[in-house]
Every structure is written in C-alpha cells, then in structure tokens.
Amino acid sequence: MPGPVAFPIGFVSLHTGLSTHVIRAWERRYHAIAPQRSANGRRLFTQSDIDRLILLRRVIQNGHSISYIAGLDRAKLVELAETTSPPAIQPNKPTHADSKMSAGIAPTEIVSHSIEAVAMLDGKALQGILQQAAATFSRQALIDTIFCPLMEQVGHRWSDGSLRIVHGQLAAVVIHAQLIGLLSHPTGDAAEKPCLLIAAPAGQCCYLGALAVAITAQDHGWEPVFLGFNLPAEEIAAASSIPGAEMIALSITCRVNDAFMQDELIRLSDLLDNGCPLVVGGRASHNYRRSIEAAGGENCSTAAELVSRLE
C-alpha cells in the first residue's frame, strides 16, 4: 500500500500560516513535530503534521509558550486551544505600553499598544511589544497584521497633526531592526535557491516594504538580495547581471512625480536586455500599473499576489 501523502515545507507554511523558519525551529529546538525526509534530505509533512501545527499555533495564540506545549498530545492541545482566558505573559522589564502585552493578544491591540509607545517616543517599549509578537505570529502575519497597519496609523496621525515626524522616524527605525532580524535567520543553502533582486527605485526613500518583500521571498524558497533604495534604473539593471538572478522586485510605497516614475520604469525595461522578469509592489504601485505593464512587468499590490508570482 502507498504511504500517506507528504507535503513540502512551503506548502505547509501556506496552509498553517507559520513561516518555514518557525516550523524548522519547532522541530529542531522543541521536537514538536517529526517530519519525514526525502532521499535528498528535504522535509516532508503528512496531513497529521499540518493539523498538529495548526493546533499548536491556536494554543500559542491563547497565551501558551511553544516550550510548554511542544510535547503535549492532541487531546491536551485541543483542551488548551478551547481555553478562552489566556494567561498574560509579561516582558522581563515592563515599561509603559509593553506592560499590557500578552502572547495571546489580538493584532489590533498590539498595534494599539505600539501606537502608545510611539506617541511616548518609547523605543524600548515598542521593541519589546514587537519582539513578543514575533514569538507568536508567523513572519508574514507579523508584516501583514502588525507592521503595515502600525506604519499606516503612524502616517495617518502624522497627517492629522497628532504625531510628529520624529514619531514616524522612531517607529521606522524599530521596525527596520525587527525586519533585519527576521531576515538574518539562515534558511538553508543559498546556492540551491533562485535569486530575487529587490530594490526601491529612484524617488523612493522608504525601504521597509522592500525588506518585507525579502522576507516573503525567503519564506517561499528564494534567496533575496536587497540592493538598496532610491536606485536609478541603470543601477538596478546593472545588478541584474548577477549570476543566478531570476527576478527583480521593486517596492513603490510613496507616490512621487508620476512622469518621472513612469520614465524610470520604461528605462529599466529598455535596459533589461537579459529578459529578467520584473514585479512591482507596494502600497503606491497601483498608481503606476499601466506603466508597469507597458514596461513588461507585473503589478503585485498584495502579499498574496507576490506569493503567487514567486511560486
């Protein structure tokens, strides 16, 4: 008889909402699951493994640590998953807003507490809040439900005058550090992965979105290379000659001079003589959809669209 159907780690990540890094860590450090191995050493998961990972995530969102629940059987995990009053977990040195954090708190409340820390210019508290969130949520969920909404709220409050530029700068610095920390975790042999070049083009000085793209790409089997921000088309095209470069991703988060941005996209298309595919995302990218498509690129304005393109 054939054995149970086995799934690769990328498939499991998509269906559980857990990053591949978290799945590997739960296996290696806590022995929460025991996936099979293919002939070439790659992890293969059964449907039972997937169900257990989903259950573990639910229990963690109820306030329990992976170190405590990793060895529990299914019945106990189901019991804990149905618990509606999670125990609060306080940081080692609570200060201001981070004293309100618990591992089972909803993303909207995490963002609310983060805004309080930003308003008080308490970078240490904000760092503590986001670090606790990182221990609970997958990397993509962290970006989609916490980092992005937080920066959007900071931007709105700067616009209405309730926050100043310095508040936005502090939030950006702390989130930048969090993204770099997430990106620095090794995820296997880079030589075996396709290379994705990532940049913020000329006129774009915010690169948090580009770093988020790098993390998403890393979670889906790519080796991201972040080239930088405010890069002219000539520099991005020159980088495409890197051996193994299979795609270029641009992050456009701010709407600048439309004619200038359109010209940059067309010039980049003309300079890419090696046929390297181009994808463009970011919250302002939809404003340039026609120019992106005219340049032979694809506008991926959401994380789901980017993931679909990467796969």
Side-chain angles (χ1 to χ4, degrees):
M1 291 180 61
V5 177
F7 304 96
I9 194 168
F11 177 92
V12 176
S13 176
L14 283 175
H15 283 73
T16 61
L18 298 167
S19 72
T20 55
H21 169 74
V22 168
I23 294 170
R24 291 189 187 98
W26 287 6
E27 175 202 350
R28 289 196 305 260
R29 300 178 193 171
Y30 305 107
H31 308 291
I33 51 172
Q36 307 167 31
R37 295 280 179 164
S38 67
N40 60 1
R42 295 187 180 277
R43 292 172 175 82
L44 295 174
F45 299 79
T46 63
Q47 184 60 53
S48 178
D49 292 327
I50 294 175
D51 294 342
R52 180 172 176 81
L53 286 168
I54 292 172
L55 192 54
L56 287 167
R57 184 184 179 193
R58 285 176 55 195
V59 175
I60 286 174
Q61 289 174 338
N62 268 3
H64 300 279
S65 68
I66 184 63
S67 60
Y68 169 70
I69 66 172
L72 300 181
D73 61 23
R74 177 177 173 80
K76 183 61 178 177
L77 289 175
V78 169
E79 178 185 339
L80 293 176
E82 294 173 351
T83 302
T84 57
S85 300
I89 298 179
Q90 302 294 339
N92 292 332
K93 295 181 179 179
T95 60
H96 302 298
D98 64 347
S99 64
K100 302 176 183 179
M101 275 290 296
S102 70
I105 201 166
T108 52
E109 293 184 71
I110 295 174
V111 173
S112 177
H113 296 331
S114 297
I115 287 289
E116 292 178 20
V118 170
M120 293 184 289
L121 293 176
D122 193 341
K124 185 177 181 181
L126 178 60
Q127 182 181 26
I129 292 169
L130 298 183
Q131 284 178 341
Q132 282 204 358
T136 302
F137 295 88
S138 72
R139 302 203 303 181
Q140 193 63 55
L142 198 65
I143 292 168
D144 292 344
T145 66
I146 297 174
F147 290 173
C148 288
L150 172 57
M151 290 307 296
E152 287 175 3
Q153 285 202 31
V154 170
H156 291 324
R157 296 193 182 206
W158 173 79
S159 298
D160 66 23
S162 59
L163 291 179
R164 302 179 66 92
I165 292 175
V166 67
H167 294 100
Q169 294 281 18
L170 179 138
V173 166
V174 173
I175 290 179
H176 171 268
Q178 295 290 318
L179 290 171
I180 291 295
L182 293 174
L183 193 57
S184 65
H185 292 298
T187 57
D189 188 358
E192 298 178 356
K193 301 177 181 179
C195 175
L196 176 68
L197 304 180
I198 304 166
Q204 299 291 311
C205 294
C206 177
Y207 55 92
L208 296 182
L211 290 176
V213 168
I215 291 168
T216 299
Q218 194 179 67
D219 281 347
H220 289 84
W222 289 71
E223 180 62 24
V225 177
F226 177 55
L227 301 174
F229 62 97
N230 195 25
L231 281 179
E234 293 80 2
E235 298 303 314
I236 298 171
S240 69
S241 63
I242 293 176
E246 296 192 18
M247 191 183 297
I248 297 174
L250 302 183
S251 174
I252 301 178
T253 57
C254 302
R255 189 171 188 178
V256 292
N257 183 299
D258 286 350
F260 171 78
M261 183 58 68
Q262 290 162 4
D263 287 345
E264 282 292 292
L265 290 167
I266 296 299
R267 185 156 67 253
L268 177 59
S269 175
D270 292 340
L271 292 168
L272 290 175
D273 55 4
N274 58 359
C276 193
L278 174 67
V279 296
V280 185
R283 64 175 178 267
S285 63
H286 67 278
N287 295 296
Y288 307 102
R289 182 181 293 274
R290 288 186 179 179
S291 298
I292 293 166
E293 292 174 351
E298 182 177 347
N299 183 207
C300 296
S301 57
T302 68
E305 290 175 347
L306 174 63
V307 168
S308 177
R309 185 65 181 83
L310 290 174
E311 294 193 341

